[in-house]
Amino acid sequence: MYSYDDQKAAQTSFRKRNIILISAAVALVVAIALAGTLLVMKFEVAPTPQPQTVHLVPDTAPRSDEVPFSSHRMLSPTATSAPTTMTPWGVAFDYARGFVWVAEPGCEPTPKCPTSFPGIIGQYALSDGSFIQDFKEPTGYSSPLFLALDKAGHIWFTEPDGDAIGEFDPQSGTWNQWPVKKYSAPFDLTFDTYGNLWFTEFASNEIGFLNPQTHAVVETPTPTRNSNPYGITIDPHGTIWFTENQDLLGQIGSFTPTASGAIKIKEHAVNARRPHLITTDNAGNIWYSVGFTGKVGEFDPRSGNSKIFLVFLGTCTPTSCTGTHISGIDTDSKGNVWFTDALSERVGYLIPSSGQIIARTLTTKNAHPADGIFVDSGDRVWFTEEFAHTLTVWPAHTV
């Protein structure tokens, strides 16, 4: 048995051990806290990496190579429409920044407006087509018609009334313009793989070239006089194609772009009266709208063969159709060919493999969907309703 003195000694020894253990634990906690503080201080005082300077050039890749949507907003799963301030026409997309840009000339160009006045470039959300803001052209600019976007986010546009090519930088709010031949009426435009801009000159029957770096302008006449070049596009191989809108001419043209602007134009006969806009599919076939005959045309650059599809389901004669004007045209990832019919108020698509036409008549009377149609990389269909002053987006599989 333990004596009283033995019990006291044991208790004293126990207390000493507890004190030692507690002291060690406290020391451990303090050490951990101190280490954490030093670690935080280490990260706080570490130098911040400096961003690298990147020199951007115009985005000239075919649409199949476009960057994915990067808008912070979810893509709308339903069809939406947004009012425009003035009469809308051409459309361009900024996938990297999540914007849609709309040229609003405020008139019906034929190819010029009856009166020259500053127009608007409207900014809309790529996510759902909702309106963001308007940018009004400064004094001395006139009626923007078609748009093309470079990789820096600058918007380039044609001014048929002012015989000029314009550039707008929405980040700085800076506007620039460069004159082209007087009375030339520059119309549609596209970038090539060198980052240079090419455009049609409807009234002077020429193809124009503008180097965005040097601002040099070169204009080349078409082989056929009075050809009225209208739409222009670039195919997956870098060849540029354009339509010749002169009645009964039945031609489209092509050329290989050069860095100097010097080109040799080749014309191709097609069975089409007054072809309007032009585009390509992923296979490299060329598609164009055929105006008042209710048709779209296909040209195969490999074989040189052309084919015509009737897409208007109304009353037609061998030379024309009543109440139709097929003008806007684009293709989706499945190879379907989308079109607008301004006079019958329809938007639809052709399935080339079967010849089937699927279209919807718009509910707004006299909406006049004309040249402003574009299928984005998500197969959503965007189009402008000229006289209804509206930008509309249809998600894939809407029709």
Side-chain angles (χ1 to χ4, degrees):
M1 296 180 63
Y2 288 108
S3 67
Y4 175 78
D5 291 334
D6 292 332
Q7 292 178 0
K8 291 291 290 181
Q11 291 175 357
T12 299
S13 177
F14 180 76
R15 290 193 189 98
K16 288 181 178 179
R17 288 196 301 270
N18 283 349
I19 291 172
I20 292 171
L21 291 172
I22 292 171
S23 299
V26 171
L28 179 61
V29 170
V30 171
I32 292 173
L34 181 60
T37 301
L38 292 174
L39 183 61
V40 171
M41 291 176 63
K42 181 179 180 181
F43 279 105
E44 288 178 345
V45 300
T48 303
Q50 296 299 311
Q52 295 180 346
T53 301
V54 179
H55 298 283
L56 299 176
V57 297
D59 183 5
T60 59
R63 192 162 55 252
S64 60
D65 295 331
E66 284 171 346
V67 297
F69 297 121
S70 60
S71 173
H72 65 283
R73 300 174 64 185
M74 295 278 295
L75 300 185
S76 173
T78 59
T80 60
S81 293
T84 61
T85 302
M86 301 177 71
T87 305
W89 200 263
V91 179
F93 290 79
D94 188 342
Y95 289 93
R97 298 162 187 82
F99 300 130
V100 179
W101 298 94
V102 179
E104 301 179 31
C107 69
E108 166 74 3
T110 57
K112 297 186 176 185
C113 295
T115 303
S116 179
F117 54 88
I120 285 174
I121 294 180
Q123 183 183 31
Y124 297 79
L126 183 62
S127 57
D128 59 6
S130 58
F131 172 77
I132 298 176
Q133 60 184 321
D134 281 334
F135 294 91
K136 186 176 180 180
E137 288 182 314
T139 302
Y141 290 66
S142 64
S143 303
L145 197 59
F146 286 98
L147 306 174
L149 201 83
D150 67 26
K151 202 168 187 177
H154 296 188
I155 301 139
W156 296 77
F157 54 94
T158 53
E159 299 175 82
D161 280 57
D163 296 315
I165 301 296
E167 176 197 11
F168 173 58
D169 178 2
Q171 285 78 35
S172 65
T174 303
W175 298 79
N176 293 294
Q177 68 175 334
W178 292 272
V180 296
K181 182 173 292 185
K182 198 170 181 61
Y183 310 118
S184 63
F187 219 62
D188 198 7
L189 72 173
T190 191
F191 281 107
D192 68 14
T193 53
Y194 299 99
N196 295 316
L197 195 66
W198 298 86
F199 50 94
T200 54
E201 293 184 342
F202 187 91
S204 66
N205 309 296
E206 293 177 301
I207 298 299
F209 162 94
L210 170 65
N211 184 317
Q213 307 304 318
T214 66
H215 308 138
V217 174
V218 178
E219 292 158 299
T220 303
T222 58
T224 301
R225 298 179 60 185
N226 301 319
S227 61
N228 297 142
Y230 192 111
I232 193 169
T233 192
I234 184 169
D235 72 15
H237 305 292
T239 301
I240 292 182
W241 297 80
F242 63 94
T243 56
E244 297 183 346
N245 191 239
Q246 180 60 254
D247 194 20
L248 302 180
L249 189 58
Q251 291 182 165
I252 62 174
S254 68
F255 60 88
T256 300
T258 66
S260 67
I263 56 173
K264 184 177 181 180
I265 297 174
K266 182 179 180 179
E267 292 174 322
H268 312 269
V270 293
N271 184 24
R273 294 184 60 188
R274 301 188 65 182
H276 283 56
L277 289 187
I278 190 167
T279 190
T280 66
D281 60 24
N282 291 334
N285 299 309
I286 310 303
W287 293 89
Y288 50 91
S289 54
V290 195
F292 299 100
T293 59
K295 301 171 183 177
V296 300
E298 178 190 18
F299 181 79
D300 184 347
R302 297 165 293 273
S303 65
N305 295 329
S306 61
K307 187 184 298 184
I308 296 294
F309 296 84
L310 182 67
V311 298
F312 177 67
L313 304 180
T315 303
C316 294
T317 68
T319 58
S320 65
C321 297
T322 303
T324 184
H325 183 213
I326 311 297
S327 188
I329 192 166
D330 203 3
T331 59
D332 63 24
S333 64
K334 300 177 179 62
N336 299 321
V337 182
W338 287 82
F339 60 89
T340 56
D341 190 335
L343 294 184
S344 71
E345 321 290 350
R346 293 187 316 135
V347 176
Y349 64 91
L350 159 74
I351 304 175
S353 59
S354 65
Q356 183 180 6
I357 309 299
I358 300 175
R360 172 184 290 183
T361 301
L362 304 180
T363 57
T364 304
K365 297 297 183 183
N366 199 31
H368 208 262
D371 284 355
I373 188 170
F374 192 95
V375 183
D376 67 28
S377 57
D379 276 348
R380 296 185 302 167
V381 179
W382 300 73
F383 57 92
T384 53
E385 300 174 45
E386 185 187 0
F387 297 156
H389 306 281
T390 301
L391 172 67
T392 298
V393 53
W394 286 351
H397 313 300
T398 296
V399 181

